[in-house]
Every structure is written in C-alpha cells, then in structure tokens.
C-alpha cells in the first residue's frame, strides 16, 4: 500500500448469509472515529433490538491504525475476528462492519459461526464500491501582496488544491497536498524568499 493512500468504501452497504435458520445481516460503514462507531452501534441496536447478536469489527486511522473486534456473546473468536480478517485481507481502512444475527434455533458450532460471519461480511464488502483515498497535509502560507503572483504561479504549476484564501495587505492561503509530496513542497516554499508557512496538524 502506498504511504499516502488507502482503500475504503464509498458509502454504507449491506450483505447477508443464512445457515440452518439463522440469518446474518452484515452492514458496512465508512467511519473515521471511534465516536462514529459508537453512534452507529447504538442506532443498529435500537433498530435491530430483537436480534440475538450485534458482532462487529473496525479499522480506522491509516497513519496510526486502531482496530477492534467484538463477539457480542458469541464464542470467543467466532465472530469479531472473522469480520476483522476480511477487512485485513481486503486491505480496507476507515471501515466498520456490523453483523447482526437472528438465531434460527440450531447451533452452528464455532466453525459454522466463523464461516457465517466471514461470508456475510464478504458479501457486504463485495456489494460495496471500494475507493482509494489519500492522506493529506494542510499548509498555511503567508506572504505580502506583491508576492501574490509568484506564490499563486507556484501553486498552479504544482497542481496544489487551495482550500481557503485571503488576499489583503498580508495574504494567507491554505493549501492541501498529499502526504508523500510534503517534503518537496516545503523545500520549494523555503526557496521562496520572505514566504512564511505552517504545516497544520489536521490532515
């Protein structure tokens, strides 16, 4: 995987699997924070209040990966881990998968559960549109008005996205660049005399 990119899903999607009366509904969501994960889980537990289990796994933050899996009462390692393994095998990041199980009256055993949670998750992923996202850095560049032409020429030639701009006696623009291009852009900014800039914390 490239250092400044990762794969994720474009939007919420669903998959399913049935085995011996049990129904497994898999829902995948694009997420970026644990707070989003908690909100989605709360909503699903209310919506599917009559389901036996709400098992899940997620991977977030491609620069400092956080992940978690939860069996929600199923035998240890039979639900959350198979879900997480699908995210790992498909190299998906910033994705939450929740598999909701309606018990059909027949126990499936650990191997049956692993297959069910894996298959339902895979179905949901295959129904999703997988997209490539880039990790960006934002830079705030400050300069005086007479330097505007040279600065904006540089931005245009480097094909840099401008997020915000304010042209006054003292001008400020906020630009967004790919993480892998940060060093090169900083070097070129440093070459421009009397140009001040800050690399912002948010990406």
């Amino acid at each position: 995987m490239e250092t400044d990119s990762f794969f994720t899903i474009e939007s919420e999607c669903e998959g399913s699997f049935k085995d011996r009366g049990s129904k497994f509904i898999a829902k995948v969501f694009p997420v970026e924070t644990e707070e989003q994960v908690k909100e989605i889980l709360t909503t699903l537990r209310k919506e599917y209040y009559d389901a036996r289990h709400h098992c899940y796994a997620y991977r977030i933050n491609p620069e400092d990966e956080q992940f978690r899996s939860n069996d929600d009462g199923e035998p240890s390692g039979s639900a959350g881990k198979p879900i997480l393994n699908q995210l790992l095998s498909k190299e998906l990041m910033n994705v939450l998968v929740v598999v909701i199980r309606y018990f059909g009256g027949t126990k499936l055993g650990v191997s049956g559960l692993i297959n069910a949670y894996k298959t339902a998750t895979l179905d949901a992923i295959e129904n999703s549109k997988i997209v490539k996202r880039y990790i960006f850095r934002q830079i705030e560049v400050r300069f005086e008005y007479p330097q505007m032409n040279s600065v904006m020429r540089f931005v245009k030639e480097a094909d840099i996205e401008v997020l915000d701009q304010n042209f006054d006696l003292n001008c400020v623009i906020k630009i967004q660049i790919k993480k892998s291009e940060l060093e090169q852009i900083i070097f070129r900014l440093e070459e421009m005399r009397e140009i001040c800039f800050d690399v912002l914390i948010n990406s």
Side-chain angles (χ1 to χ4, degrees):
M1 205 183 298
E2 295 175 28
T3 57
D4 67 347
S5 69
F6 61 94
F7 292 101
T8 189
I9 61 169
E10 187 173 63
S11 58
E12 176 186 344
C13 208
E14 186 174 304
S16 63
F17 180 73
K18 293 180 180 179
D19 187 5
R20 286 168 277 179
S22 284
K23 184 177 182 181
F24 299 81
I25 303 168
K27 290 182 169 287
V28 293
F29 302 86
V31 291
E32 294 183 357
T33 66
E34 289 183 329
E35 287 72 24
Q36 286 179 294
V37 170
K38 290 175 185 176
E39 289 172 5
I40 291 169
L41 286 169
T42 298
T43 300
L44 290 178
R45 283 172 179 144
K46 288 179 181 177
E47 183 179 352
Y48 297 90
Y49 65 91
D50 54 343
R52 177 72 67 90
H53 303 282
H54 299 80
C55 307
Y56 66 90
Y58 63 82
R59 296 177 74 204
I60 59 175
N61 194 354
E63 293 190 90
D64 184 18
E65 182 179 344
Q66 296 171 269
F67 64 89
R68 187 179 178 189
S69 62
N70 188 295
D71 296 314
D72 193 35
E74 294 281 33
S76 179
S78 67
K81 190 174 180 180
I83 297 170
L84 179 61
N85 283 343
Q86 288 305 301
L87 294 177
L88 291 167
S89 66
K90 298 296 182 181
E91 295 187 336
L92 293 176
M93 187 63 68
N94 285 2
V95 174
L96 163 69
V97 182
V98 183
V99 181
I100 301 148
R101 181 189 182 186
Y102 284 92
F103 183 57
T106 302
K107 292 184 178 181
L108 304 183
V110 172
S111 61
L113 289 172
I114 289 172
N115 179 66
Y117 283 101
K118 171 186 173 181
T119 306
T121 300
L122 184 59
D123 187 47
I125 290 172
E126 289 180 342
N127 290 335
S128 305
K129 182 178 180 181
I130 295 175
V131 292
K132 188 183 222 179
R133 301 288 189 217
Y134 287 92
I135 300 168
F136 290 99
R137 289 289 182 270
Q138 293 177 9
I139 298 179
E140 191 171 83
V141 185
R142 300 181 298 280
F143 51 94
E144 294 183 358
Y145 190 81
Q147 297 171 291
M148 184 176 67
N149 286 341
S150 58
V151 172
M152 298 311 292
R153 188 184 311 115
F154 160 68
V155 167
K156 185 177 180 180
E157 289 173 353
D159 194 25
I160 295 172
E161 180 182 1
V162 178
L163 299 176
D164 193 19
Q165 59 187 34
N166 180 21
F167 298 140
D168 207 334
L169 183 61
N170 293 309
C171 305
V172 180
I173 63 170
K174 186 188 289 184
I175 59 178
Q176 177 167 272
I177 60 173
K178 293 177 184 176
K179 177 186 172 184
S180 59
E181 298 174 357
L182 180 64
E183 190 174 335
Q184 177 188 357
I185 297 299
I186 286 177
F187 177 77
R188 293 186 63 184
L189 284 171
E190 287 173 341
E191 285 185 320
M192 301 175 72
R193 294 182 60 190
E194 297 177 12
I195 300 290
C196 299
F197 65 91
D198 289 320
V199 179
L200 304 180
I201 294 174
N202 53 316
S203 56

